[in-house]
Amino acid sequence: MKKLLEIGSSLNCGAPGKIAEQIGLLAMSRGWDVYMAHGVRHSNLSQLKTIPMVTPSEERIHALYSLLLDRHGLGPNAKTKVLVEWIKMNKPDIIHLHNIHGYFLNYKTLFEYLVTTDIPVIWTLHDCWPFTGHCAYFDAVDCLRWKSGCHDCPLRTDYPKSMFIDRSKKNYELKKRLFTGLDKCVMVPVSNWLSRITRESFMGAYPVHVIHNGIDLNTFKPIRTDLRKRLGIESKKTVVLGLAAPWIPRKGYNDMIKLSEEPDFQVVMVGVSAEQQSELPQNIISVTRTSNQQELVEYYNMADVFVNPTYSDNFPTTNLEALACGTPVITYRTGGSPEAISDVENVKKVKDGIECYPTGMVVEQGNIAGMADAVWELHIHPITSEDCRKRAEKHFDKDKCFEEYIKLYDLISKR
């Protein structure tokens, strides 16, 4: 039986963790023996064989290395050494990396071993961290240092936050040396946008193969719901849904508040913290983070439009979930976010900076008035639920998307 080891910071939690879980389950159904090495901060029950990498207290020590020394992923290495010994003993046929940042792993220890082996590595890129000296996303400040060598990081206080020290130059040089030394490696960005970026980075030395994220279409689907009535929303209001976890400025927190000033909109924000819930204007319906997928399906189905005002992102699964539930999407032109709805041949320009597609609209970053105009455009010229659902079925069925990983496993393990 072929053996697969997945490594990621989260366990069946958040988009990367759920994607790793679903890929693992599909591999199991194809006869693979699957293990998941993971962090503990974001963990749910899993059907995979799991290898916890840290305890909560050890995770906090990793966080301190990042916060105080800008040595993210370079904290205590004892547990990573244990994982290396596990790899030596169990000899997996494939190692599949997801997010290896996130306060649980010493990447130097792991890669100093991996570069000595011929174990094929598949690396799914959920963000840009592997080829920067610090940040997970650089597009919010349009930084291009990652192309030639990071230094004087303008995002030092963003995740993974460093309070005092800027070690971005050394981090960049270390990553470049370690991450480019693998014998067999395929980079798998989950969006065409990140594919282009990856090819321009030092990781572009490897083959790059895009596999878009997929979702469970049996869970996320159109349903009947009386949630509007239960929430007391007036029938004449246009329900504008936003979802993030956490809601931070990079995700468009302040933009949603400004959008709520439109008197004919009912803004609903899912994923807010308890503190944010007490601070938000009374005209916004706020919901704390939920892992109940059926509850999320109700919110998607209740909404007239799903708005994603993100300033830095790769390929948000929330867009896909909304489409699968039959709800059109409006997003900023950020990273790979527009790819969920965009077909170049079917674009229609509504006005400067606003483009309309068969299942949603794209607006320039920060154009809140444009976002409101886009909501009104969809109110006047509605997009059908059927069209949104068809796009999800055609492009984002998890079984079809993740089958590409199985093909990749078989291909690279035979080389």
Side-chain angles (χ1 to χ4, degrees):
M1 180 182 290
K2 290 185 177 180
K3 194 169 294 183
L4 168 66
L5 171 64
E6 295 190 88
I7 304 175
S9 59
S10 54
L11 178 65
N12 197 21
C13 183
K18 289 176 182 176
I19 289 165
E21 177 83 6
Q22 291 162 354
I23 293 169
L25 291 175
L26 184 61
M28 286 172 59
S29 74
R30 299 291 192 275
W32 288 74
D33 188 17
V34 182
Y35 295 80
M36 181 74 199
H38 61 91
V40 297
R41 189 164 51 124
H42 301 299
S43 296
N44 285 327
L45 292 175
S46 170
Q47 298 179 59
L48 308 179
K49 297 174 183 177
T50 60
I51 306 172
M53 289 291 296
V54 286
T55 64
S57 60
E58 289 169 335
E59 189 175 67
R60 286 191 286 272
I61 295 173
H62 276 272
L64 287 175
Y65 270 73
S66 181
L67 188 64
L68 301 179
L69 303 173
D70 197 19
R71 292 178 60 85
H72 190 81
L74 297 170
N77 67 353
K79 291 294 181 67
T80 306
K81 286 183 176 179
V82 172
L83 178 64
V84 167
E85 290 304 313
W86 185 96
I87 295 171
K88 290 177 180 178
M89 289 182 59
N90 289 273
K91 299 180 174 59
D93 296 275
I94 299 281
I95 293 178
H96 188 161
L97 305 178
H98 294 275
N99 282 345
I100 63 169
H101 56 82
Y103 313 112
F104 79 110
L105 178 83
N106 185 299
Y107 70 79
K108 183 173 183 287
T109 297
L110 176 63
F111 272 81
E112 283 179 339
Y113 169 69
L114 290 181
V115 297
T116 68
T117 76
D118 60 355
I119 301 174
V121 173
I122 305 294
W123 196 339
T124 296
L125 296 180
H126 299 281
D127 55 43
C128 309
W129 181 87
F131 51 83
T132 74
H134 180 87
C135 68
Y137 293 101
F138 46 77
D139 49 333
V141 295
D142 199 26
C143 176
L144 299 178
R145 291 175 174 85
W146 55 273
K147 287 189 175 184
S148 56
C150 289
H151 60 89
D152 302 315
C153 180
L155 293 170
R156 176 178 58 81
T157 57
D158 278 20
Y159 172 84
K161 183 177 181 179
S162 174
M163 290 179 63
F164 310 111
I165 296 174
D166 182 343
R167 199 175 175 276
S168 56
K169 186 175 187 296
K170 290 183 178 179
N171 291 337
Y172 178 91
E173 291 170 350
L174 179 63
K175 287 181 182 180
K176 183 176 182 179
R177 177 172 65 83
L178 291 173
F179 294 171
T180 57
L182 298 171
D183 184 50
K184 297 178 183 177
C185 181
V186 177
M187 309 306 298
V188 185
V190 301
S191 70
N192 295 324
W193 168 79
L194 188 53
S195 173
R196 292 191 295 271
I197 300 297
T198 302
R199 293 176 196 277
E200 294 177 33
S201 76
F202 59 71
M203 302 297 262
Y206 294 120
V208 178
H209 180 73
V210 176
I211 300 178
H212 280 120
N213 293 335
I215 57 169
D216 185 349
L217 296 181
N218 293 319
T219 298
F220 293 95
K221 60 187 178 182
I223 62 168
R224 292 183 178 274
T225 176
D226 64 349
L227 185 56
R228 278 189 189 225
K229 182 179 179 181
R230 282 184 273 139
L231 292 174
I233 299 174
E234 298 176 35
S235 58
K236 65 179 182 180
K237 293 272 191 178
T238 298
V239 178
V240 178
L241 174 67
L243 190 155
W247 273 109
I248 53 179
R250 177 174 70 82
K251 291 292 186 178
Y253 177 76
N254 298 316
D255 301 52
M256 292 296 292
I257 294 174
K258 291 178 181 177
L259 198 60
S260 74
E261 295 172 1
E262 291 284 338
D264 294 313
F265 296 173
Q266 176 58 68
V267 169
V268 179
M269 294 175 65
V270 176
V272 301
S273 67
E275 181 181 359
Q276 288 171 330
Q277 199 167 37
S278 65
E279 294 174 347
L280 284 169
Q282 292 299 309
N283 63 322
I284 293 178
I285 294 175
S286 58
V287 183
T288 54
R289 182 173 182 171
T290 176
S291 59
N292 185 324
Q293 291 190 322
Q294 290 305 317
E295 187 177 352
L296 289 178
V297 169
E298 280 203 89
Y299 278 100
Y300 283 126
N301 276 272
M302 172 197 70
D304 292 297
V305 60
F306 177 73
V307 166
N308 192 347
T310 179
Y311 284 83
S312 55
D313 233 316
N314 184 6
F315 192 68
T317 54
T318 51
N319 294 355
L320 316 184
E321 292 167 354
L323 292 176
C325 292
T327 304
V329 173
I330 300 175
T331 179
Y332 282 155
R333 192 182 311 284
T334 297
S337 188
E339 292 176 33
I341 62 172
S342 63
D343 287 316
V344 174
E345 64 271 19
N346 291 324
V347 64
K348 178 181 75 174
K349 290 201 173 185
V350 178
K351 58 169 62 176
D352 288 344
I354 304 176
E355 294 178 348
C356 182
Y357 295 88
T359 56
M361 303 187 77
V362 177
V363 180
E364 294 300 328
Q365 276 189 8
N367 186 357
I368 298 168
M371 188 75 80
D373 288 344
V375 175
W376 277 117
E377 178 68 21
L378 292 185
H379 178 76
I380 297 167
H381 301 104
I383 289 172
T384 69
S385 173
E386 290 77 11
D387 284 344
C388 295
R389 177 68 183 184
K390 284 177 183 176
R391 180 164 177 83
E393 291 174 342
K394 182 178 179 180
H395 296 287
F396 308 125
D397 182 340
K398 69 176 178 63
D399 292 334
K400 294 178 183 176
C401 293
F402 299 152
E403 183 68 35
E404 294 300 308
Y405 282 105
I406 307 303
K407 294 177 182 176
L408 197 53
Y409 293 163
D410 291 337
L411 178 64
I412 197 171
S413 63
K414 290 175 182 176
R415 289 179 180 174

